[in-house]
Amino acid sequence: MVTRLLLRPWARGPAVGPAAPCRPLSAGSRPSQYLQRSLVPTMHYQDSLPRKTEQLCKSFESGIGKELHEQLVAQDKQNKHTSYISGPWFDMYLTARDSIVLNFNPFMAFNPDPKSEYNDQLTRATNLTVSAVRFLKTLRAGLLEPEVFHLNPAKSDTDTFKRLIRFVPSSLSWYGAYLVNAYPLDMSQYFRLFNSTRLPRPSRDELFTDDKARHLLVLRKGHFYVFDVLDQDGNIVSPSEIQAHLKYILSDSSPAPEFPLAYLTSENRDVWAELRQKLVNGGNEETLRKVDSAVFCLCLDDFPIKDLIHLSHSMLHGDGTNRWFDKSFNLVIAEDGTAGVHFEHAWGDGVAVLRFFHEVFKDSTQAPAITPQSQPAKTDSSIAVQKLSFKLSDALKTGISAAKDKFDATVTTLTIDIIRFQRGGKEFLKKQKLSPDSVAQLAFQMAFLRQYGQTVATYESCSTAAFKHGRTETIRPASVFTKRCSEAFVREPSKHSAAELQQMMAECSKYHGRLTKEAAMGQGFDRHLFVLRYLAAAKGISVPELFLDPAYGQMNHNVLSTSTLSSPEVSLGGFAPVVPDGFGVGYAVHDDWIGCNVSSYPGRNSQEFLQCVEKALEDMFDALEGKAIKT
């Protein structure tokens, strides 16, 4: 539906009756300088005119929106085993037809192993693989520590409390934790970490999991290998055997395949679904099953990482030949031992991946399965390791070539730039009684204003794992407070004292903290509106007018898409912009520095944006230290 302005022609001829809008001229007066002399000033009604979006909101709230909300509440009461957002959110991801590369899949890179000799590719690949399988076994045995947000760790994160709470029935355990200010988080996504793959299907993809499979999938130079990492009794295969098998794969000197199959996972989902069916029909079903059911995908790259920008490109998309983008996650290890995780987003969010990331890094560095001096087992890897081969028809070869061309053309348009602001971080900002996250977000607002002279819709992801089957909610960091503060710093810093600037930053921090708390507690509006629209479509109701309003469209065109996953193990993380004219902003505020990884497509300049971010951070730190802002 297109909103049109209705134009009504003015009546011709003199106005008549008591409501005539003008007064007659006095007899004998000179011709008037004015057409009319209204008793009511021309702009008298202007300030109180309702805006169209405001009218639509009120109409939605009292009309179709109210009806949809009542239906949603009724539906939610009948489905107490899950969250109202869970099904629609899965659908949102799985029905998307765009390539999942760049559009959805993010990455996180590990810090190097603190012991430099352990960063050898074979050593690190073995240790990370064994630690990942240990995590799998711990999770499935119910021995993994539950994910809990502790507001008072001295009371709740203790052995005494854990011994008590384990005897509280599961149906009441949350309330027991709540009494000591601890908030258990949803862990329902965790089972998809392993043995899982997103399968392309026409119109809507499918999440596949086979937790009986015991083998690892390894990719190197576009070739596929599988070998068991769990034995028939479910025990981890000895680390020296895993080391031997990985050494065997690394020694394979076969040239890269002419038609690397992995490119297909970067295709449009409907195109990939059709090509996958051709693969199945061509006798590759069992081979594909081994790929799909593997514990996870280990990618051994045959080149070292040059710098942080190269690291980001490698982990976010690589060259397309050595990733199976559909796997729940790819554990990527470069030739120099630099490692990271690239993950598919439909099955879960950063919270589950970050926990895996944390535990695997900790285990592989503190209790490594092998040392650099360890010798591989004397085993016949040529029997234990199976190299997968695919039968490719001419149509499939054409499809792979087309996917490669499309992949190459897309990734070459992506620019990534990085800064590490070393002047201070979390510790300094907390001493100033400011939220570190709010300061980072304020820097992005200032940077965009400085670069482009305006503010834009900004998205910050917030986990709602405090609720059963929770996913995420949106924090909207751009506000009247950030606008006022940004304009003061960028356009007129000399007009404000350091104390005034500090006060504005404090207001931004307070408001951002409120938004964050509301989002984390499920009080944001984005997911609610998303589901109301989803519900209308599911019931065959015309799209409510609110969702067609340009203001709603502008609000959801997130030029600044931001996300943070702070962890001491994470060297950096990132993702691509969510709109063609946007920035993808991955950031982390560490104890004494702030890292920011920004991606962009042509039309936006991520390097210039980051220079503006750095300038914003310098200005804010100057203000906090009572110094004048440099123009």
Side-chain angles (χ1 to χ4, degrees):
M1 173 185 167
V2 179
T3 305
R4 292 181 174 85
L5 180 64
L6 298 178
L7 299 177
R8 181 177 300 160
W10 292 106
R12 296 183 184 276
V16 294
C22 60
R23 287 183 277 180
L25 295 172
S26 308
S29 68
R30 296 170 56 192
S32 174
Q33 300 287 310
Y34 307 103
L35 288 172
Q36 304 169 346
R37 288 183 178 272
S38 173
L39 290 172
V40 181
T42 304
M43 305 300 285
H44 184 66
Y45 298 109
Q46 191 63 34
D47 289 343
S48 60
L49 278 175
R51 292 177 297 171
K52 182 176 177 301
T53 301
E54 192 174 323
Q55 284 179 313
L56 285 175
C57 289
K58 287 179 178 173
S59 168
F60 180 79
E61 186 180 18
S62 60
I64 185 64
K66 185 178 181 182
E67 291 173 32
L68 289 169
H69 178 71
E70 286 168 356
Q71 291 175 30
L72 177 62
V73 170
Q75 186 175 294
D76 189 57
K77 284 179 179 173
Q78 292 173 351
N79 293 278
K80 292 191 175 179
H81 63 286
T82 188
S83 159
Y84 79 92
I85 191 64
S86 185
W89 206 243
F90 275 118
D91 271 356
M92 183 270 294
Y93 275 116
L94 297 173
T95 57
R97 300 293 84 196
D98 292 330
S99 166
I100 59 176
V101 185
L102 301 189
N103 292 306
F104 295 103
N105 292 15
F107 82 91
M108 290 187 285
F110 286 103
N111 278 322
D113 192 301
K115 302 180 290 295
S116 59
E117 67 274 19
Y118 279 75
N119 289 306
D120 164 77
Q121 187 179 27
L122 177 59
T123 304
R124 197 160 200 209
T126 304
N127 283 329
L128 285 171
T129 297
V130 172
S131 292
V133 183
R134 282 176 181 161
F135 184 97
L136 176 155
K137 281 185 61 70
T138 310
L139 172 67
R140 289 183 179 166
L143 298 173
L144 187 71
E145 194 82 32
E147 191 75 28
V148 179
F149 180 65
H150 299 277
L151 278 177
N152 187 356
K155 273 191 174 181
S156 57
D157 198 11
T158 64
D159 287 346
T160 303
F161 173 74
K162 289 169 189 174
R163 288 192 190 99
L164 286 170
I165 199 70
R166 63 179 297 180
F167 292 108
V168 176
S170 283
S171 58
L172 300 173
S173 58
W174 184 91
Y175 301 96
Y178 173 75
L179 290 174
V180 290
N181 252 348
Y183 296 87
L185 304 181
D186 179 70
M187 297 182 72
S188 63
Q189 297 172 9
Y190 281 56
F191 85 99
R192 293 274 192 203
L193 265 168
F194 300 103
N195 302 95
S196 296
T197 299
R198 173 175 176 161
L199 303 182
R201 297 283 187 251
S203 302
R204 185 187 190 276
D205 290 354
E206 171 192 336
L207 293 176
F208 167 84
T209 303
D210 177 4
D211 60 9
K212 300 292 187 291
R214 299 181 281 113
H215 62 278
L216 177 71
L217 171 67
V218 183
L219 264 60
R220 182 169 180 268
K221 291 186 178 179
H223 295 288
F224 293 68
Y225 310 83
V226 294
F227 63 85
D228 285 351
V229 286
L230 294 164
D231 65 22
Q232 290 183 333
D233 298 321
N235 297 313
I236 302 175
V237 169
S238 75
S240 62
E241 280 186 56
I242 291 174
Q243 182 187 14
H245 300 336
L246 292 176
K247 185 178 181 181
Y248 171 78
I249 290 169
L250 286 166
S251 69
D252 186 352
S253 58
S254 306
E258 186 180 359
F259 297 97
L261 193 72
Y263 278 119
L264 295 183
T265 61
S266 71
E267 254 292 7
N268 168 281
R269 302 308 291 178
D270 282 336
V271 173
W272 174 205
E274 187 179 335
L275 290 168
R276 183 185 166 98
Q277 195 54 52
K278 284 185 168 64
L279 273 168
V280 170
N281 296 343
N284 297 291
E285 186 169 14
E286 188 52 41
T287 313
L288 280 171
R289 173 91 187 192
K290 287 179 179 172
V291 171
D292 299 333
S293 62
V295 172
F296 61 88
C297 181
L298 173 67
C299 307
L300 300 174
D301 285 347
D302 61 336
F303 53 83
I305 296 299
K306 300 172 193 168
D307 52 38
L308 292 176
I309 292 174
H310 182 220
L311 171 63
S312 292
H313 281 292
S314 297
M315 297 298 169
L316 184 58
H317 55 76
D319 66 1
T321 66
N322 215 45
R323 309 281 185 270
W324 198 254
F325 294 114
D326 287 355
K327 283 300 283 182
S328 55
F329 71 89
N330 290 251
L331 176 59
V332 183
I333 303 176
E335 191 179 53
D336 60 358
T338 304
V341 169
H342 172 109
F343 66 98
E344 196 279 316
H345 218 324
W347 66 269
D349 303 306
V351 173
V353 179
L354 191 64
R355 175 70 186 279
F356 167 79
F357 199 92
H358 167 77
E359 299 291 357
V360 167
F361 182 86
K362 181 181 174 185
D363 186 68
S364 67
T365 55
Q366 295 183 10
I370 65 165
T371 70
Q373 293 74 40
S374 298
Q375 292 301 307
K378 297 187 186 309
T379 184
D380 191 348
S381 293
S382 64
I383 295 173
V385 178
Q386 180 187 3
K387 189 173 184 179
L388 303 182
S389 60
F390 297 88
K391 300 163 190 167
L392 302 179
S393 64
D394 288 343
L396 283 164
K397 289 177 182 178
T398 300
I400 292 169
S401 297
K404 178 189 187 306
D405 291 344
K406 201 183 292 184
F407 176 88
D408 290 346
T410 303
V411 299
T412 52
T413 65
L414 185 77
T415 302
I416 299 177
D417 287 283
I418 293 166
I419 60 160
R420 289 194 165 184
F421 180 78
Q422 303 282 2
R423 192 166 154 186
K426 206 179 291 181
E427 288 181 357
F428 173 76
L429 294 171
K430 284 186 173 177
K431 282 177 185 172
Q432 308 299 315
K433 298 183 178 175
L434 293 174
S435 152
D437 188 56
S438 77
V439 171
Q441 288 290 342
L442 188 52
F444 307 147
Q445 296 299 313
M446 288 186 197
F448 200 89
L449 181 66
R450 184 178 296 278
Q451 191 177 11
Y452 297 105
Q454 65 179 113
T455 54
V456 286
T458 308
Y459 176 104
E460 180 183 359
S461 181
C462 178
S463 172
T464 51
F467 299 95
K468 183 175 244 182
H469 294 185
R471 294 294 303 246
T472 59
E473 181 53 273
T474 306
I475 301 169
R476 295 284 176 181
S479 68
V480 291
F481 299 103
T482 60
K483 188 172 188 290
R484 176 170 166 254
C485 188
S486 298
E487 287 176 346
F489 271 92
V490 173
R491 291 181 173 158
E492 46 188 22
S494 59
K495 291 184 181 177
H496 301 279
S497 67
E500 287 171 335
L501 294 172
Q502 289 171 16
Q503 178 60 31
M504 282 187 258
M505 289 176 67
E507 287 171 353
C508 292
S509 177
K510 184 179 178 182
Y511 186 67
H512 188 80
R514 179 181 140 194
L515 291 177
T516 303
K517 186 176 180 181
E518 286 173 356
M521 297 312 293
Q523 297 300 311
F525 62 84
D526 279 89
R527 298 301 177 264
H528 187 194
L529 288 177
F530 169 82
V531 175
L532 294 183
R533 183 175 185 171
Y534 175 92
L535 194 58
K539 293 186 175 294
I541 299 169
S542 298
V543 179
E545 206 173 354
L546 173 71
F547 300 118
L548 300 171
D549 184 60
Y552 185 80
Q554 187 177 358
M555 183 186 76
N556 286 285
H557 186 84
N558 291 303
V559 174
L560 289 176
S561 181
T562 75
S563 184
T564 180
L565 284 175
S566 296
S567 170
E569 300 84 16
V570 179
S571 125
L572 77 165
F575 49 93
V578 298
V579 292
D581 61 337
F583 289 114
V585 184
Y587 67 101
V589 184
H590 299 275
D591 285 344
D592 54 1
W593 62 281
I594 299 169
C596 196
N597 182 6
V598 175
S599 60
S600 64
Y601 292 116
R604 293 292 187 195
N605 188 324
S606 52
Q607 185 177 33
E608 187 179 295
F609 177 76
L610 277 176
Q611 288 169 353
C612 294
V613 169
E614 196 157 25
K615 165 68 174 158
L617 290 169
E618 290 284 0
D619 287 352
M620 284 191 281
F621 273 65
D622 280 347
L624 291 171
E625 291 172 359
K627 299 174 184 172
I629 308 301
K630 303 180 190 78
T631 53

